[in-house]
Amino acid sequence: MLNRKLVAVALVGLFSTGAMAAGENNIGTCGWGSKAFDGQRGIAPQVLGATTNGTSGNQTFGISSGTSGCTQDGVVKSTWKTAMFIDGNKEKLAHDMSTGSGESLESLAKLIGVHDQHKAAFFQVTKDNFGRIFSSDNSTTDQVLASLKQVLASDSELAQYSLSI
Amino acid sequence: MPGRWILLFIFLWSPFAVFASDNAYLEELIQRARQANLSQRAEWLNLLHYKPYPYWPGKRSLADDSEFFNAPHGKTDAAAELEATLAAFFSTSEETDKTQNPQCRFIARYQWLKQELQFDPARLPSQPCKRFYQWHASLDPHEVTLVFPAAYLNNPASMYGHTLLRIDARDQDEKTRLLAYSISYAAGTDETSGLIFAVRGLFGGYPGVFAITPYYLKVREYSDIENRDVWEYQLTLTPKEIDRLLMHVWELGPTHFDYYFFDENCAYHLLSLLEVARPGLQLTDRFRWWAIPSDTVRAVTDQAGLLKRVVYRPASVTIMRQRLKQMSADQGRLARDLGQQRIDANNDRIRELPALDQARVLELGYEYTAYEATTGGGKAANAFSHMRNLLLARSRLEVPPQKPEVAVPSVRPDEGHKTSRIGIGAGSRDGRHFEEIHVRPTYHDLLDHDAGYTRGAQIQFFDMRWRHYRGDDGLRLEEFKPLDIVSLSPRNDFFHPVSWKVNIGWTRKRFPGNEEPLVFRLNGGPGLAYSTPEKFDGGVVYYGFIEAALDVGSRFDRDYALGAGPAIGLLANVTDRWGVHLSARSLRYGLGDDHWSRDLVLEQRYALSRQSALRLGLSRKQEFHDYWNSGNLSLHFYF
């Protein structure tokens, strides 16, 4: 498994110098690079960036660097928190919703302020509506947000939380 | 025209005008700082990242960024820097999105000097530093955790592991840790070649910077993409200490340090943050030459009262392995076929299983598909529709999640054997007795006890052996290997890694006529490894390699010999303390000086304690037309 990854990385390295330059993913779209999940080989630069303890495009995460994209001094602005979280955890969230549990689902519940007494319902409703929330094979973050909002709005107990998405 | 120049002139000089009017108070502060000798205090030197030179006396700052200093020679003159910093604090410039008042830009220095010198707010008004306090509020710091993603062998640059700090907010718990932020120090580069990174990194070829990242992105990188188990060491820092740490991180934000892969790396710099947070902690002193992340974790856990508790976060692959262990072989095969997209989510063989088993198979099938897509294997291109179908099928099953509990390994990475090793031993070669000293500065070999380490991962730097033959004068260098890596990654139905090895160095080679000069050798190659089938991380690993070797030395015809050949071996833990490694190799040097080189080696290790072991080596070797036997018993200490 490992060497295959290295090979993939090496191949990407050959072609990517300009195209996958620093922080490109984040400009304008306020995403963490969901593109990494769009193009399967696109994940390689991230793998490499991480395994070599290198960081590319650190401007996005710059501490005390002022406003940059959706961050202020390196911290995600509050209006973007939920969208950025979904963007960075889409596969995990889909997995968690399908089983009705898991830390990314717990964290999402926390982000939109679901009270403890509504958490079980939140988990159940997102599980039951998995097919609606992830309505296509490759849902964008916007689509997931919009459909999650709809699903919550149509549930009497959870409707209040649709407002915080 | 002249009017504009005058305005510009006044604008440029205005900060100095401010200094002039308050000169008396600045002078007073400087005098008091001198009297108290503040500039030589550990707190101040830590804030400036002053460290001793490794080769000669004296100190200098590790920061390689003039913006980090207010005095022209701030990198080497801590007193001048202190006085220039005091002067800068009188600036009345207002904060903008891109610039800060010096009191905010250097907020940790400001807070410390303010406390030590008791600044008079009437004569040195304090700035609001809105941006810092907003940042602080959005982090809502409550606890600090040292995060250690364990080594992931197959990438040479990641072999030591990595460390980062996590800032845990007040309202988070273990279920919502993804929402925390992490602070890491890394080389800022777009270099996509791990090898080039490693080489340039050795010589400080990259600027290192501190960065802040949502923890969920780090978890995705380490757990899901790289499949490294992560250890989270929660520390006992108090709110005051955490504030100091964050203020200092803020100061360091835009500052760059030359990144050195060996010593001034992520792990080293994170320790220096902790030293700022809790004055009196001495964590970096012992890492003058190199800093291995697992050793820096050890430095932290060695400190009395600094560790609160440890949380283990198994990687995606670790969870998948656990699922497989708890599943029948038939169901494991179904999950495998799902992952390799040979069958789809609605396959009859799955649908006829009880709901609970269906859930198990679908969950593992999904994880395996994601794993294959991530690692570039399988049919990644149309994985999305397959993956969604798996989850859709899973979401229709009304059974609880089947994610297994993974037992926390009984020995943590900081609890394994220490990474430096010295061995003394004696032996005999064809009846000639010898004594031997073996120094291995770092880090782990295949036979060292595995507890806390990755099994099958050998990484050694600057391994050295000297030998003295009875009757000869003095010691002679037997072997010197600057780099020696072996990666044995067992394959099975699910995972198909390629093992590999590489080593470079000088070693004694026996030539006809009993001459034994040092030759330079570059050796390595790919291989396949398997482990006993019932357990994936089981007791016995066996392997085969195709190796190539280049030997260079003046004793060879044409000064070199280039060879290749197979190598096989078996690595087993007989008991917890007793490990065995049996290997055989046959190299035909067909280019240059034509000859054969063969060896059969049995090595055994018996761990006397975690930090000591006995080794017994027996071997039969051939070089050219000579054959000989040798045996060697040695005692190893880890320190």
Side-chain angles (χ1 to χ4, degrees), chain B residues 308-324:
Chain B
K308 189 180 281 175
R309 68 195 185 100
V310 182
V311 174
Y312 169 67
R313 177 186 284 277
S316 299
V317 157
T318 312
I319 294 170
M320 286 161 66
R321 291 194 163 136
Q322 186 64 29
R323 285 184 188 275
L324 273 171

Side-chain angles (χ1 to χ4, degrees), chain B residues 504-523:
Chain B
I504 185 167
W506 288 262
T507 189
R508 295 273 164 196
K509 181 158 178 124
R510 190 150 148 181
F511 285 86
N514 245 347
E515 261 187 280
E516 218 175 0
L518 278 175
V519 300
F520 169 83
R521 176 173 297 161
L522 175 63
N523 163 237

Side-chain angles (χ1 to χ4, degrees), chain A residues 1-2 37 51 103 127 134, chain B residues 152 226 313 384 388 497:
Chain A
M1 55 177 169
L2 309 172
F37 293 116
T51 51
E103 74 169 333
K127 179 173 186 292
F134 287 87
Chain B
Y152 175 23
E226 302 185 332
R313 177 186 284 277
F384 284 103
R388 181 171 176 273

Side-chain angles (χ1 to χ4, degrees), chain B residues 207-275:
Chain B
V209 283
F210 286 89
I212 186 162
T213 317
Y215 190 51
Y216 55 77
L217 292 184
K218 291 291 172 189
V219 170
R220 189 175 78 176
E221 283 174 13
Y222 294 127
S223 292
D224 304 337
I225 300 178
E226 302 185 332
N227 294 302
R228 298 159 81 161
D229 292 341
V230 174
W231 293 84
E232 302 170 344
Y233 297 83
Q234 292 181 2
L235 307 180
T236 57
L237 297 187
T238 64
K240 222 176 178 173
E241 290 168 343
I242 294 172
D243 281 353
R244 234 184 332 251
L245 187 147
L246 286 176
M247 284 178 181
H248 187 52
V249 165
W250 180 263
E251 282 181 359
L252 289 171
T255 306
H256 93 257
F257 294 74
D258 288 344
Y259 189 97
Y260 291 90
F261 182 61
F262 266 121
D263 51 355
E264 292 179 34
N265 56 23
C266 61
Y268 184 89
H269 280 288
L270 289 188
L271 291 186
S272 66
L273 292 187
L274 296 177
E275 287 178 332

Side-chain angles (χ1 to χ4, degrees), chain B residues 542-545 547 566-570 581-586 599 601:
Chain B
Y542 47 98
Y543 62 83
F545 280 87
E547 292 191 18
I568 54 171
L570 181 151
H581 185 198
L582 178 65
S583 62
R585 178 164 69 166
S586 174
D599 53 51
V601 182

Side-chain angles (χ1 to χ4, degrees), chain A residues 28-47:
Chain A
T29 60
C30 270
W32 290 125
S34 43
K35 279 181 183 152
F37 293 116
D38 293 354
Q40 285 67 40
R41 295 299 183 276
I43 217 146
Q46 300 211 353
V47 172

Side-chain angles (χ1 to χ4, degrees), chain B residues 374-385:
Chain B
T374 309
T375 53
K379 304 177 213 161
N382 51 6
F384 284 103
S385 126

